[in-house]
Amino acid sequence: MAKESPKEIFLKDYKLPDYYFDTVNLDFILKEEHTLMHSKIHVINRQGTLSPLRLDGVDVKLLSIRINSKVVKEGEEYSLSSKHLILHHPPATQFVLEITTEIEPQNNTALEGLYKTTGNFCTQCEAEGFRRITFYQDCRDVMAKFTTRIEADKSLYPVLLSNGNLIEQADLPDGRHYAVWNDPFKKPCYLFALVAGQLVSRDDEFVTCSGRKVALHIWTPTQDISKTAHATYSLKAAMKWDEEVFGREYDLDLFNIVAVPDFNMGAMENKSLNIFNSRLVLASPETATDADYAAVIGVIGHEYFHNWTGNRVTCRDWFQLSLKEGLTVFRDQEFSSDMGSRAVKRIADVLRLRISQFSQDAGPMAHRVRPHSYIKMDNFYTVTVYEKGAEVVRMYETLLGKKGFRKGMDLYFERHDGQAVTCDDFYAAMRDANNANLANFKMWYSQAGTPVLTVSTSYDAAARTFRLKCRQEIPPTPGQPTKEPMLIPLALGLVSPKGKDLAITSVHDGESLKFLKDEHGNGVTTVVLRVEKAEQEFVFADIPERPIPSLLRNFSAPVRLVSDISDEDLLFFTCS
Ligand code: PHE
Ligand code: ZN
């Protein structure tokens, strides 16, 4: 078998797949010495192309291949390398592809694909783990409806779980049993999951806004089940919050969470079968701190919210990772803010961003929110993609307002439900829903580095005007020596020496004069300036006394702020 060396993959090389997968039937026969796997895929040749069909597969032993029930032969009809199975001449229309393989989950220590953790079988397919289960087109834009049959020893593995609804379950001879799961929603294979083992569940129910009952189960080993009350509470709160804040209802009658001790990342949003590292599910007053409780709420929310931002609308390719992660982090931050203290949560998130993400952006690992190339995708689950990505989403909200942002989200779901899309599609939905001018905002996705925003101020008592000069500069980062100015929302207030927000009634941004009014017709106390050029001046009229500017309120943009505000004025905010 030929060995393939690692390859760099570029965003600019993206092309639509030639072959789509429509329905996929997976049959797992779980045994101690190996797992036998049969897949039956309905393949659609999109344009009648004659190009070969390339399937990904790593550490998978091939037993047989059939196309439309006919055996396919090695050499002339297919070839195998260490990472791929290539079918040379698939039919030019539709066909049924059947592949039988063997894997050894008990020897899989990658924590990717199908593996064993404390005696249970468990999967992890994001980013590229499905290829360790069977040969498949392991890419995001191939979305299929999965039916999964799992067969195992009943006493060792009494619980058999996969995505979607349980449609059949029965005992077999020799102490074995099976379950069949069907997921009615099409999905890329990174959202596939399977769990088989000795688990018990805490059961509850959620009634959705349209009155549908959803059965909720949180599965753990017996000794952990008493620590799942808070996770259940968090899940129900998240389901309700997504309905109230984003109008998003859960879409199946069942939702499962499994907590396992061996899990590399925090948790995984597999469709209707979220899998968590135990530490992010389990909490009891004896063992958990307030911070632990808050983390459970945040991560349960995060994975649940992926059902709409990630699963129903998914990513076209891995370069778009921030499309689902940045957006879902933003959503979990907002959820935690509403569940606890908004100010405390924002301060904690901004601290984390400034400590971890700003240093990443200033060092040799600096990269764009939407990377332009990768060798191993696993390395791109970074604070830049997640946390800076969430700040980019938050900036849309700051620029468009809460209502405008919601309109953009509604349009995004309306246009793209069931699709695999890009950050450009999200940007377009936000822009179109609001008729907004977001001209050079998109560069937040393509320019790495933390912008430096330098602000100098002056007050003219005779003219009663307050002037603010802004300069933006984005430092060079590896591979990007020069940068363009981009749209930075700068939220600010002008505070009187007595500590009151002054009413701001107008601002001149160098091009035009804009009048500002709140809903009662008075001036506003916080204004969001659009800093778009390398240098720009803003003038506020009718300011009765020298104000103390309160800049970058709510940390309205992920920038380093440099200003000429005196220490005395800065101290004023901490004391007033
Ligand atoms: N998609 C997961 C999340 O953000 C993170 C994850 C990535 C988990 C890759 C496992 C592997 O919720
Ligand atoms: Zn996520």
Side-chain angles (χ1 to χ4, degrees), residues 124-127 190 263 265-269 302-303 306 321 324-325 378 381 386:
Q124 173 52 43
C125 296
E126 188 178 9
Y190 84 91
F263 195 85
M265 313 283 271
M268 181 61 209
E269 71 264 22
H302 181 98
E303 304 313 326
H306 268 313
L321 181 59
K324 76 174 175 82
E325 295 304 346
D378 298 342
Y381 289 79
Y386 274 63

Side-chain angles (χ1 to χ4, degrees), residues 356-367 384 448-450 475-479 483 560:
S356 315
Q357 199 282 322
F358 279 22
S359 4
Q360 181 164 74
D361 242 354
M365 301 291 283
H367 58 274
T384 296
T450 307
T477 44
K483 308 279 166 75
R560 289 180 199 270

Side-chain angles (χ1 to χ4, degrees), residues 317-386:
D317 52 70
W318 282 133
F319 299 105
Q320 321 298 330
L321 181 59
S322 196
L323 174 72
K324 76 174 175 82
E325 295 304 346
L327 179 54
T328 306
V329 170
F330 169 78
R331 274 150 58 71
D332 86 52
Q333 290 176 345
E334 285 299 291
F335 171 55
S336 294
S337 301
D338 287 343
M339 298 291 290
S341 157
R342 178 162 286 271
V344 168
K345 175 68 179 151
R346 186 67 186 139
I347 290 167
D349 289 340
V350 171
L351 268 181
R352 180 168 149 72
L353 181 83
R354 289 173 31 152
I355 292 169
S356 315
Q357 199 282 322
F358 279 22
S359 4
Q360 181 164 74
D361 242 354
M365 301 291 283
H367 58 274
R368 314 161 191 210
V369 166
R370 171 161 56 180
H372 83 302
S373 83
Y374 65 82
I375 294 177
K376 188 127 177 66
M377 191 50 216
D378 298 342
N379 297 330
F380 264 116
Y381 289 79
T382 63
V383 275
T384 296
V385 168
Y386 274 63

